[in-house]
């Protein structure tokens, strides 16, 4: 099975600084693979191994795509190749734009199945995979927790709020996988060294003949005003410190 | 703000309609509910304040997503806002509908303001670290709305019921071959008054018994950070607090061995009192705790359980 695993390169949340005016400073934030896309890559690599297939990792974005450590990180997790579509206009792209570019790129790549994460760790709109499926006119299923390869189809388990559906999905198709559907493997040293030798292809929006329309634009990103906490912290775990802490707990319980 | 000409509402879960209809009523005097079901569903929508109901007769061979072409045909191209309950199926329907309508799509909206044709719509970004506000320039916009954003109306409305036949699906589609009730706990941590949560500070699954003992002593539910539910699988996913998990609104939240990364803390912003125990005095959770103790959870756990038994 030929599989495209979509993965977004995002700022490391832990490095994001909240400025005094509640805006966010992202410049110093390191680049990483969006957390939930690791599950998409893992599912793709496992499924391709079971079906003697191939995995193409696909990422669209702006300057974070140039981060060579992140590129290698993607490839060290098992995909055979990486395709990048970079353009400055894709900085902070919203889901509809991202999906439009992914759809244009997917049309140039041979595939049976496209896998996405359940959402991105920056926007977490949980739209991109579903938008992509609809744009390509393909069946698109979210919340997939298990995938079994079949003949011209995949049988998937879809975990909803109160029930699990077992679905036969004709290929080609787009699935988004849940974050508990697998445990992404830590790349081995051999995989990390091998990643540098795998092919990377870069396309421009022009190469794809793609000009995403913009229906909505992000006007502001502001940290919420946090509730002021008391921050009464006791240092140490001797018996008398714990006793003092128990008294504090009693206050918190009332 | 000037009111919109019409707001459409839809959900795959009946209990979401009252809040969605209230959201619609805050934006427009015309709230059209699209409901899959029988006449009793229409009555409920009117009782919740809908001014018109489009009733789709259920087709047993359809998954909820298969009604998307029917929704697209009903909504048409006139400027409007479509509010869809932010369930898992609702999110799939919303995204697919937005493509068919060439409409903007915004997920899990927390506020909608502005005038028709220039709406500002807010939602969380970066796992709750910030709120993003989008300006919508398309005439149609599809939003998913979570629980608690709008208060149900106290008065109902009356209006016309239009019976609608479901459109036949146009593209290849998935077929449901089996449906089963989800295994696992029915715990609703979002409604718990007290929560004792555990994180990476716990060394082994056997030690969960100590957490449970403390929770029982405090008459609290047990929660956890993501690695305990996903990865270690020591607790069910329904118990994990944070960005893709539960939003706790308890009066009391005790975090044992949880460092307090953003993704976790966004799940407890609505908590009245946050208490934390962690051996690392620089753990971010202490910046957002009301009370804390820097120490070994294995020393603190039995002492607390004994004190509150």
């Amino acid at each position: 099975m030929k599989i495209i695993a979509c993965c977004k390169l995002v700022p490391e949340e832990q490095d994001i600084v909240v400025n005094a005016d509640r805006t966010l400073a992202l410049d110093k934030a390191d680049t990483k693979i969006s957390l939930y896309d690791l599950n998409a890559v893992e599912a793709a690599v496992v499924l391709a191994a079971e079906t003697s297939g191939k995995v193409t990792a696909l990422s669209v974005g702006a300057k974070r795509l140039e981060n060579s450590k992140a590129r290698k990180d993607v490839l060290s997790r098992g995909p055979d190749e990486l395709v990048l579509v970079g353009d400055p206009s894709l900085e902070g792209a919203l889901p509809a734009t991202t999906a439009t570019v992914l759809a244009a790129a997917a049309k140039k790549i041979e595939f049976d199945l496209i896998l996405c994460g359940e959402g991105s760790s920056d926007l977490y709109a949980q739209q991109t995979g579903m938008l992509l499926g609809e744009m390509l006119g393909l069946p698109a299923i979210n919340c997939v927790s298990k995938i079994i390869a079949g003949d011209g189809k995949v049988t998937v388990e879809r975990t909803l709020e109160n029930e699990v559906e077992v679905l036969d999905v004709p290929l080609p198709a787009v699935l988004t996988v849940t974050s508990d559907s697998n445990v992404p493997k830590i790349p081995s040293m051999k995989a990390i060294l091998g990643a540098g030798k795998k092919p990377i292809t870069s396309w421009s929006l022009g190469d794809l003949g793609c000009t995403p329309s913009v229906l909505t634009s992000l006007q502001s990103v502001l940290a919420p005003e946090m509730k002021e906490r008391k921050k009464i912290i006791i240092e140490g775990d001797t018996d008398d410190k714990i006793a003092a802490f128990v008294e504090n707990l009693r206050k918190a319980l009332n | 703000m000037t009111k919109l000409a019409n707001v459409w509402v839809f959900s795959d879960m009946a209990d979401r309609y009252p809040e969605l209809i209230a959201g619609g009523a805050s934006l427009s005097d015309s709230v059209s509910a699209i409901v899959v079901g029988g006449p009793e569903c229409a009555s409920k929508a009117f009782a919740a304040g809908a001014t018109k109901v489009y009733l789709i007769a259920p087709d047993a061979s359809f998954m909820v997503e298969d009604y998307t072409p029917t929704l697209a045909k009903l909504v048409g191209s006139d400027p409007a806002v479509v509010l869809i309950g932010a369930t898992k199926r609702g999110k799939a329907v919303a995204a697919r509908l937005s493509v068919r309508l060439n409409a903007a799509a915004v997920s899990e909206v927390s506020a909608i303001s502005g005038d028709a044709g220039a709406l500002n719509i807010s939602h969380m970004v970066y796992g709750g670290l910030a709120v993003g506000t989008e300006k919508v320039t398309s005439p149609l916009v599809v939003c998913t709305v979570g629980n608690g954003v709008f208060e149900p109306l106290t008065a109902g409305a009356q209006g016309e019921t239009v019976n609608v036949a479901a459109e036949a699906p146009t593209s290849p589609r998935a077929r449901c071959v089996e449906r089963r009730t989800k295994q696992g706990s029915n715990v609703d941590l979002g409604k718990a008054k007290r929560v004792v949560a555990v994180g990476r500070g716990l060394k082994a699954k056997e030690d969960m018994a100590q957490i449970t003992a403390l929770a029982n002593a405090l008459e609290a539910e047990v929660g956890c950070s993501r690695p305990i539910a996903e990865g270690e699988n020591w607790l069910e996913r329904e118990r994990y607090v944070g960005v893709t998990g539960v939003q706790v609104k308890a009066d009391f939240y005790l975090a044992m061995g949880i460092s307090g990364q953003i993704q976790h803390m966004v799940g407890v912003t609505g908590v009245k009192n946050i208490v934390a125990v962690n051996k690392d005095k620089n753990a971010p959770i202490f910046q957002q705790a009301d009370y804390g103790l820097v120490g070994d959870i294995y020393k603190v756990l039995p002492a607390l359980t004994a004190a509150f038994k």
Side-chain angles (χ1 to χ4, degrees), chain B residues 98-295:
Chain B
S98 74
V99 174
R100 285 176 179 261
L101 295 173
N102 195 27
V106 188
S107 297
E108 302 258 10
V109 306
S110 52
I112 305 176
S113 65
D115 295 325
L119 287 172
N120 289 310
I121 304 183
S122 302
H123 56 94
M124 273 189 194
V125 293
Y126 296 108
L129 181 65
V131 173
T133 302
E134 295 183 32
K135 192 183 191 82
V136 175
T137 46
S138 60
L140 272 167
V141 55
V142 181
C143 301
T144 58
V145 184
N147 280 332
V149 177
F150 298 108
E151 278 282 318
L153 301 175
T154 48
Q158 287 179 331
E160 185 194 355
T161 302
V162 181
N163 289 296
V164 182
E167 295 284 308
T170 49
S171 47
R173 58 177 173 147
R175 294 204 172 268
C176 188
V177 292
E178 190 191 335
R179 199 180 290 280
R180 55 179 187 257
T181 309
K182 199 157 138 185
Q183 300 293 312
S185 68
N186 288 318
V187 61
D188 189 351
L189 216 55
K191 292 204 177 86
K193 287 284 157 218
R194 293 175 176 182
V195 176
V196 173
V198 62
R200 275 245 162 91
L202 199 74
K203 293 191 186 103
K205 188 178 182 181
E206 299 79 72
D207 302 341
M208 275 306 308
Q210 296 187 51
I211 298 290
T212 310
L214 175 58
N216 288 342
L218 289 167
E219 293 169 11
E221 278 289 353
V222 175
C224 63
S225 63
R226 186 170 178 236
I228 300 299
E230 295 186 358
E232 301 291 4
N233 296 322
W234 292 347
L235 285 173
E236 309 93 309
R237 205 188 179 199
E238 285 75 12
R239 291 189 187 271
Y240 115 62
V241 177
V243 60
T244 55
V246 185
Q247 309 280 322
V248 177
K249 295 184 179 74
D251 295 328
F252 172 86
Y253 188 81
L254 173 58
M256 300 297 283
I258 293 177
S259 65
Q261 295 187 348
I262 303 160
Q263 291 92 334
H264 181 75
M265 297 313 287
V266 52
V268 296
T269 48
V271 170
K272 197 168 137 216
N273 285 316
I274 297 179
V275 184
V277 179
N278 200 294
K279 65 177 190 291
D280 175 10
K281 73 170 183 183
N282 296 317
I285 195 156
F286 290 126
Q287 293 303 312
Q288 287 181 57
D290 292 293
Y291 300 98
L293 181 129
V294 181

Side-chain angles (χ1 to χ4, degrees), chain A residues 122 125-126 158 165 216, chain B residues 65 89 91 107 126 133-134:
Chain A
D122 52 357
Q126 299 187 283
R158 184 189 196 206
E165 290 177 339
T216 163
Chain B
E65 292 80 350
R89 281 199 188 99
K91 287 175 184 174
S107 297
Y126 296 108
T133 302
E134 295 183 32

Side-chain angles (χ1 to χ4, degrees), chain B residues 10 46 74 137 174 265:
Chain B
F10 174 79
F46 286 124
L74 283 173
T137 46
M265 297 313 287

Side-chain angles (χ1 to χ4, degrees), chain B residues 10-30:
Chain B
F10 174 79
S11 182
D12 65 303
M13 289 195 180
D15 62 357
R16 301 293 180 113
Y17 276 99
E19 290 186 26
L20 295 173
I21 289 168
S26 73
L27 299 167
S28 175
D29 294 328
S30 166

Side-chain angles (χ1 to χ4, degrees), chain A residues 11-14 16-18 22 24 26 32 35-36 39 94-96 118 121-127 130-132 134-135 137-143 155 157-170 172 178-180 183 213-224 226-239 241-242 245-246 248-254, chain B residues 13 16 63 65 86-89 91-92 95-96 98-100 102-108 120 123-138 171-182 194 218 226 230-231 237 240 243-244 251-252 254 261-263 268-277 281 286-296 299-300 303-304 307-308:
Chain A
E12 167 62 66
E13 296 94 341
Q14 307 309 321
I16 297 174
V17 178
V18 179
R22 290 166 50 211
L24 304 188
L26 303 175
K32 68 165 191 182
L35 194 61
Y36 313 106
N39 300 104
L94 292 170
E118 66 176 32
S121 37
D122 52 357
L123 296 175
Y124 200 65
Q126 299 187 283
Q127 289 177 16
M130 295 296 99
L131 294 170
L132 176 59
E134 192 70 24
M135 286 171 182
L138 299 177
I141 303 293
N142 61 350
C143 310
T155 301
E157 286 189 10
R158 184 189 196 206
T159 304
L160 298 165
E161 283 84 356
N162 303 316
E163 59 184 346
V164 176
E165 290 177 339
V166 181
L167 305 170
D168 273 347
V169 188
T178 60
S179 59
D180 59 354
V183 180
S213 60
V214 175
L215 302 172
T216 163
S217 57
L218 205 51
Q219 299 292 299
S220 67
V221 174
L222 291 175
M226 292 302 281
K227 203 162 154 181
E228 202 47 47
R229 297 285 175 184
K230 295 188 190 76
K231 290 187 217 168
I232 300 171
I233 312 297
I234 296 170
E235 282 195 41
D237 53 16
T238 55
D239 289 350
K241 302 263 185 183
I242 292 176
F245 179 62
V246 166
N248 286 344
L249 261 181
R250 290 190 201 283
K251 287 180 214 157
L253 283 164
N254 291 315
Chain B
M13 289 195 180
R16 301 293 180 113
M63 301 201 328
E65 292 80 350
T87 60
K88 293 175 181 191
R89 281 199 188 99
K91 287 175 184 174
R96 294 165 71 166
S98 74
V99 174
R100 285 176 179 261
N102 195 27
V106 188
S107 297
E108 302 258 10
N120 289 310
H123 56 94
M124 273 189 194
V125 293
Y126 296 108
L129 181 65
V131 173
T133 302
E134 295 183 32
K135 192 183 191 82
V136 175
T137 46
S138 60
S171 47
R173 58 177 173 147
R175 294 204 172 268
C176 188
V177 292
E178 190 191 335
R179 199 180 290 280
R180 55 179 187 257
T181 309
K182 199 157 138 185
R194 293 175 176 182
L218 289 167
R226 186 170 178 236
E230 295 186 358
R237 205 188 179 199
Y240 115 62
V243 60
T244 55
D251 295 328
F252 172 86
L254 173 58
Q261 295 187 348
I262 303 160
Q263 291 92 334
V268 296
T269 48
V271 170
K272 197 168 137 216
N273 285 316
I274 297 179
V275 184
V277 179
K281 73 170 183 183
F286 290 126
Q287 293 303 312
Q288 287 181 57
D290 292 293
Y291 300 98
L293 181 129
V294 181
D296 181 358
K299 272 192 86 171
V300 177
L304 292 189
F308 288 97

